[in-house]
Amino acid sequence: MQILESSLYANDLDAAERFYGGVLGLEKIARAGNRHIFYRCGDMVLLIFNPEETELPPGAGAPAIPVHGARGPGHLCFRATASEIDGWSRRLSNAGVAIESEIEWPSGGRSIYFRDPAGNSLEFAEARIWGIS
């Protein structure tokens, strides 16, 4: 079993689009007005939803996707090698994004934490923090 898609929530999709598409360089799959933006992220899809819109029932003729939404900061971790984490640290710093925390894990591996414009906690980490090679 693998995760196909994961979602975060942001009220300001324009800011989210500048961050995920511009700063992180993710490939945009689609944007539907002020409801959502979808990005390709390796073998999965990252969904950024505006909870103001996804908490509304679907309109007539729209797919019957259940109402959903979340408030407050979520968390997502991107897999990266040690050298990629160094590169991401520089790229984020150059974009004015603060590194909130950097952790060397006792079991091996390293993580950096930072925030998107909506306050979601994001992380780049080596897979070995979870015993994955």
Side-chain angles (χ1 to χ4, degrees):
M1 181 182 329
Q2 293 184 337
I3 293 174
L4 176 62
E5 59 188 40
S6 187
S7 62
L8 292 172
Y9 292 85
N11 292 80
D12 185 343
L13 290 187
D14 292 332
E17 186 169 18
R18 286 189 299 273
F19 183 81
Y20 287 94
V23 176
L24 297 186
L26 294 179
E27 175 191 348
K28 182 169 61 173
I29 298 169
R31 177 167 177 170
N34 197 36
R35 185 182 188 281
H36 65 255
I37 308 170
F38 297 163
Y39 290 98
R40 189 160 320 287
C41 187
D43 290 338
M44 68 168 279
V45 176
L46 174 59
L47 313 171
I48 310 292
F49 287 113
N50 178 347
E52 301 287 334
E53 299 290 328
T54 58
E55 291 173 341
L56 300 174
I65 298 169
V67 171
H68 58 86
R71 304 288 178 172
H75 173 71
L76 189 69
C77 178
F78 299 99
R79 182 180 186 155
T81 65
S83 64
E84 288 171 336
I85 290 172
D86 292 336
W88 281 111
S89 288
R90 287 189 298 276
R91 183 172 177 160
L92 292 167
S93 178
N94 289 340
V97 178
I99 302 300
E100 190 171 12
S101 180
E102 183 170 341
I103 300 174
E104 292 282 343
W105 295 100
S107 59
R110 185 170 116 231
S111 294
I112 59 170
Y113 291 85
F114 55 100
R115 301 272 172 178
D116 75 1
N120 291 301
S121 173
L122 302 177
E123 175 184 9
F124 281 109
E126 293 178 75
R128 64 189 175 128
I129 71 170
W130 291 110
I132 300 169
S133 54

